[in-house]
Amino acid sequence: MRIAFIGDIVGSHGRDMLKVHLKKIRQEHAIDFVVANYENASHGFGLTAKNANEIVGYGVDCMSGGNHTWDKKDVEALFDTHEILRPHNYPDGVKGTGCKVYEVAGEKLAVLNLMGHYSMPYTDNAFRAAKSTVEALHADGVKNIFIDFHAEATSEKRAMMMLLQGSVSAIIGTHTHVSTDDFQIAEGTAYLTDIGLTGCRDNVIGMDNATPLRQFLTGIKGHFDIPKKCKKILQIAIMDFKDGKCESAFKLKIFDEGIVLKTDAWIEN
């Protein structure tokens, strides 16, 4: 199976890039299933029902979340009507789930959404949740497992790779909105510390410069806003899974000027 992942769709500019490019990408690269992170999709904070329908209409099959999952009141109802996840390591009793299994190209695919700990809301231990969930999936005969690990600290993301290397198909990080240059495959597990945002690229993590610069200069916080105009980017990882292993992977950076950059994941021997 060939799956794709888009991290941190930020606001209307991120959604616009999906509208323009995603169906063409799916067709050109014969992608079977697309996962995208929604937590910043509605003006940078959370997800509305209107924007959820919009994103699905552009060709996304499943959406993962993070610390901004709960920012819009629409989301709780969306768990019942859409293929939407929230971090799986929220405590028992929290609405929704962070793990779903799909039939893709004649095989089972599990999508698992986890959230880290450093500078994040309170949750159960992400590493214990990952280990027990992966073990349960294996016991149910599910080999192909994709993880969106939504975390601030690069050390947490790398540690998750060391914990699960060889037992899941891919672990890709989200949350920082800044792409990293470490896409690799080791023991059949694809890993990327952070895929980076899809949205505005010429400001501060997809947001207008004014508020973050004032905060760094004065210590005074304010509300972050999506700029009305900006230069845009779409960042997508495309991976081939077979029998639980990632056989090959590459990342595309698509700029609104029409430039496309392709980076192949290196394979550790």
Side-chain angles (χ1 to χ4, degrees), residues 178-184 191-196 235 251 253 262-266:
V178 179
S179 63
T180 57
D181 186 25
D182 59 345
F183 204 8
Q184 69 176 102
Y191 173 77
L192 180 61
T193 298
D194 204 296
I195 191 170
Q235 304 190 73
K251 179 182 171 182
K253 289 184 178 181
K262 178 175 180 284
T263 304
D264 291 317
W266 79 82

mmCIF file of all heavy atoms in Angstrom, residues 178-184 191-196 235 251 253 262-266:
data_model
loop_
_atom_site.group_PDB
_atom_site.id
_atom_site.type_symbol
_atom_site.label_atom_id
_atom_site.label_comp_id
_atom_site.label_asym_id
_atom_site.label_seq_id
_atom_site.Cartn_x
_atom_site.Cartn_y
_atom_site.Cartn_z
ATOM 1 N N VAL A 178 8.055 23.174 11.841
ATOM 2 C CA VAL A 178 9.356 23.360 11.182
ATOM 3 C C VAL A 178 9.850 22.012 10.696
ATOM 4 O O VAL A 178 10.042 21.080 11.491
ATOM 5 C CB VAL A 178 10.378 23.989 12.143
ATOM 6 C CG1 VAL A 178 11.726 24.141 11.458
ATOM 7 C CG2 VAL A 178 9.879 25.339 12.648
ATOM 8 N N SER A 179 10.081 21.884 9.391
ATOM 9 C CA SER A 179 10.483 20.593 8.837
ATOM 10 C C SER A 179 11.929 20.264 9.184
ATOM 11 O O SER A 179 12.780 21.142 9.272
ATOM 12 C CB SER A 179 10.307 20.590 7.313
ATOM 13 O OG SER A 179 11.144 21.551 6.702
ATOM 14 N N THR A 180 12.192 18.983 9.405
ATOM 15 C CA THR A 180 13.540 18.511 9.706
ATOM 16 C C THR A 180 14.080 17.684 8.542
ATOM 17 O O THR A 180 13.313 17.164 7.727
ATOM 18 C CB THR A 180 13.559 17.666 10.989
ATOM 19 O OG1 THR A 180 12.639 16.570 10.850
ATOM 20 C CG2 THR A 180 13.160 18.508 12.196
ATOM 21 N N ASP A 181 15.373 17.545 8.497
ATOM 22 C CA ASP A 181 16.041 16.886 7.355
ATOM 23 C C ASP A 181 16.618 15.545 7.789
ATOM 24 O O ASP A 181 17.806 15.283 7.635
ATOM 25 C CB ASP A 181 17.140 17.802 6.814
ATOM 26 C CG ASP A 181 17.779 17.269 5.543
ATOM 27 O OD1 ASP A 181 17.105 16.499 4.834
ATOM 28 O OD2 ASP A 181 18.946 17.586 5.277
ATOM 29 N N ASP A 182 15.774 14.684 8.361
ATOM 30 C CA ASP A 182 16.269 13.398 8.859
ATOM 31 C C ASP A 182 15.337 12.249 8.477
ATOM 32 O O ASP A 182 15.178 11.290 9.230
ATOM 33 C CB ASP A 182 16.462 13.443 10.376
ATOM 34 C CG ASP A 182 15.194 13.766 11.150
ATOM 35 O OD1 ASP A 182 14.218 14.244 10.529
ATOM 36 O OD2 ASP A 182 15.170 13.552 12.374
ATOM 37 N N PHE A 183 14.726 12.332 7.297
ATOM 38 C CA PHE A 183 13.820 11.277 6.845
ATOM 39 C C PHE A 183 14.635 10.025 6.550
ATOM 40 O O PHE A 183 15.535 10.027 5.712
ATOM 41 C CB PHE A 183 13.092 11.744 5.594
ATOM 42 C CG PHE A 183 11.765 11.053 5.348
ATOM 43 C CD1 PHE A 183 11.194 10.196 6.268
ATOM 44 C CD2 PHE A 183 11.069 11.301 4.170
ATOM 45 C CE1 PHE A 183 9.979 9.587 6.040
ATOM 46 C CE2 PHE A 183 9.853 10.699 3.915
ATOM 47 C CZ PHE A 183 9.301 9.851 4.849
ATOM 48 N N GLN A 184 14.327 8.942 7.248
ATOM 49 C CA GLN A 184 15.094 7.712 7.117
ATOM 50 C C GLN A 184 14.190 6.499 7.266
ATOM 51 O O GLN A 184 13.039 6.612 7.699
ATOM 52 C CB GLN A 184 16.185 7.658 8.189
ATOM 53 C CG GLN A 184 15.634 7.489 9.604
ATOM 54 C CD GLN A 184 16.725 7.341 10.641
ATOM 55 O OE1 GLN A 184 17.045 8.273 11.363
ATOM 56 N NE2 GLN A 184 17.288 6.157 10.722
ATOM 57 N N TYR A 191 11.044 7.180 9.575
ATOM 58 C CA TYR A 191 11.052 8.148 10.681
ATOM 59 C C TYR A 191 11.412 9.541 10.172
ATOM 60 O O TYR A 191 12.347 9.713 9.381
ATOM 61 C CB TYR A 191 12.064 7.733 11.755
ATOM 62 C CG TYR A 191 12.237 8.790 12.824
ATOM 63 C CD1 TYR A 191 11.279 8.954 13.821
ATOM 64 C CD2 TYR A 191 13.329 9.659 12.812
ATOM 65 C CE1 TYR A 191 11.425 9.943 14.793
ATOM 66 C CE2 TYR A 191 13.482 10.635 13.777
ATOM 67 C CZ TYR A 191 12.524 10.782 14.769
ATOM 68 O OH TYR A 191 12.661 11.759 15.714
ATOM 69 N N LEU A 192 10.661 10.533 10.645
ATOM 70 C CA LEU A 192 10.933 11.939 10.376
ATOM 71 C C LEU A 192 10.564 12.721 11.625
ATOM 72 O O LEU A 192 9.422 12.643 12.094
ATOM 73 C CB LEU A 192 10.113 12.427 9.169
ATOM 74 C CG LEU A 192 10.262 13.874 8.724
ATOM 75 C CD1 LEU A 192 11.694 14.190 8.315
ATOM 76 C CD2 LEU A 192 9.302 14.166 7.570
ATOM 77 N N THR A 193 11.527 13.462 12.181
ATOM 78 C CA THR A 193 11.278 14.160 13.444
ATOM 79 C C THR A 193 10.114 15.133 13.327
ATOM 80 O O THR A 193 9.252 15.182 14.205
ATOM 81 C CB THR A 193 12.538 14.902 13.905
ATOM 82 O OG1 THR A 193 13.580 13.938 14.142
ATOM 83 C CG2 THR A 193 12.293 15.669 15.182
ATOM 84 N N ASP A 194 10.059 15.925 12.268
ATOM 85 C CA ASP A 194 8.903 16.799 12.045
ATOM 86 C C ASP A 194 8.731 17.057 10.562
ATOM 87 O O ASP A 194 9.675 17.444 9.878
ATOM 88 C CB ASP A 194 9.031 18.121 12.796
ATOM 89 C CG ASP A 194 7.666 18.744 13.061
ATOM 90 O OD1 ASP A 194 6.966 19.095 12.091
ATOM 91 O OD2 ASP A 194 7.283 18.873 14.247
ATOM 92 N N ILE A 195 7.521 16.836 10.071
ATOM 93 C CA ILE A 195 7.245 17.017 8.653
ATOM 94 C C ILE A 195 7.107 18.483 8.278
ATOM 95 O O ILE A 195 7.295 18.860 7.131
ATOM 96 C CB ILE A 195 5.980 16.229 8.250
ATOM 97 C CG1 ILE A 195 5.838 16.176 6.724
ATOM 98 C CG2 ILE A 195 4.740 16.793 8.919
ATOM 99 C CD1 ILE A 195 4.774 15.226 6.246
ATOM 100 N N GLY A 196 6.796 19.342 9.239
ATOM 101 C CA GLY A 196 6.620 20.753 8.957
ATOM 102 C C GLY A 196 5.192 21.089 8.546
ATOM 103 O O GLY A 196 4.392 20.222 8.209
ATOM 104 N N GLN A 235 3.649 20.340 2.450
ATOM 105 C CA GLN A 235 4.680 19.340 2.736
ATOM 106 C C GLN A 235 3.999 17.996 2.978
ATOM 107 O O GLN A 235 3.126 17.876 3.840
ATOM 108 C CB GLN A 235 5.512 19.767 3.945
ATOM 109 C CG GLN A 235 6.127 21.154 3.742
ATOM 110 C CD GLN A 235 7.144 21.531 4.785
ATOM 111 O OE1 GLN A 235 8.258 21.014 4.803
ATOM 112 N NE2 GLN A 235 6.781 22.437 5.664
ATOM 113 N N LYS A 251 9.666 12.659 0.495
ATOM 114 C CA LYS A 251 8.892 13.831 0.899
ATOM 115 C C LYS A 251 8.886 14.848 -0.229
ATOM 116 O O LYS A 251 9.897 15.069 -0.888
ATOM 117 C CB LYS A 251 9.493 14.466 2.161
ATOM 118 C CG LYS A 251 8.762 15.719 2.629
ATOM 119 C CD LYS A 251 9.416 16.344 3.838
ATOM 120 C CE LYS A 251 8.793 17.692 4.143
ATOM 121 N NZ LYS A 251 9.441 18.366 5.281
ATOM 122 N N LYS A 253 8.055 18.901 -1.086
ATOM 123 C CA LYS A 253 7.758 20.271 -0.693
ATOM 124 C C LYS A 253 7.250 20.982 -1.938
ATOM 125 O O LYS A 253 7.982 21.106 -2.921
ATOM 126 C CB LYS A 253 8.999 20.986 -0.163
ATOM 127 C CG LYS A 253 9.491 20.509 1.182
ATOM 128 C CD LYS A 253 10.678 21.366 1.630
ATOM 129 C CE LYS A 253 11.167 20.953 3.007
ATOM 130 N NZ LYS A 253 12.302 21.798 3.454
ATOM 131 N N LYS A 262 11.870 17.267 -4.032
ATOM 132 C CA LYS A 262 11.677 15.881 -3.604
ATOM 133 C C LYS A 262 12.915 15.414 -2.834
ATOM 134 O O LYS A 262 14.043 15.602 -3.281
ATOM 135 C CB LYS A 262 11.459 14.966 -4.809
ATOM 136 C CG LYS A 262 11.281 13.491 -4.505
ATOM 137 C CD LYS A 262 10.955 12.726 -5.781
ATOM 138 C CE LYS A 262 10.779 11.234 -5.525
ATOM 139 N NZ LYS A 262 12.083 10.550 -5.334
ATOM 140 N N THR A 263 12.675 14.829 -1.661
ATOM 141 C CA THR A 263 13.741 14.283 -0.829
ATOM 142 C C THR A 263 13.464 12.826 -0.538
ATOM 143 O O THR A 263 12.410 12.500 0.043
ATOM 144 C CB THR A 263 13.867 15.052 0.495
ATOM 145 O OG1 THR A 263 14.069 16.444 0.234
ATOM 146 C CG2 THR A 263 15.044 14.527 1.312
ATOM 147 N N ASP A 264 14.345 11.937 -0.905
ATOM 148 C CA ASP A 264 14.181 10.516 -0.609
ATOM 149 C C ASP A 264 14.649 10.207 0.808
ATOM 150 O O ASP A 264 15.658 10.753 1.278
ATOM 151 C CB ASP A 264 14.998 9.672 -1.599
ATOM 152 C CG ASP A 264 14.433 9.738 -3.000
ATOM 153 O OD1 ASP A 264 13.210 9.665 -3.156
ATOM 154 O OD2 ASP A 264 15.241 9.891 -3.945
ATOM 155 N N ALA A 265 13.907 9.346 1.494
ATOM 156 C CA ALA A 265 14.375 8.852 2.782
ATOM 157 C C ALA A 265 15.560 7.927 2.573
ATOM 158 O O ALA A 265 15.566 7.119 1.639
ATOM 159 C CB ALA A 265 13.259 8.097 3.486
ATOM 160 N N TRP A 266 16.597 8.087 3.407
ATOM 161 C CA TRP A 266 17.724 7.170 3.283
ATOM 162 C C TRP A 266 17.435 5.909 4.094
ATOM 163 O O TRP A 266 16.702 5.934 5.076
ATOM 164 C CB TRP A 266 19.027 7.848 3.703
ATOM 165 C CG TRP A 266 19.264 7.961 5.180
ATOM 166 C CD1 TRP A 266 19.764 7.019 6.016
ATOM 167 C CD2 TRP A 266 19.060 9.121 5.997
ATOM 168 N NE1 TRP A 266 19.882 7.492 7.308
ATOM 169 C CE2 TRP A 266 19.459 8.792 7.317
ATOM 170 C CE3 TRP A 266 18.591 10.421 5.747
ATOM 171 C CZ2 TRP A 266 19.394 9.704 8.370
ATOM 172 C CZ3 TRP A 266 18.528 11.318 6.795
ATOM 173 C CH2 TRP A 266 18.906 10.950 8.079
#
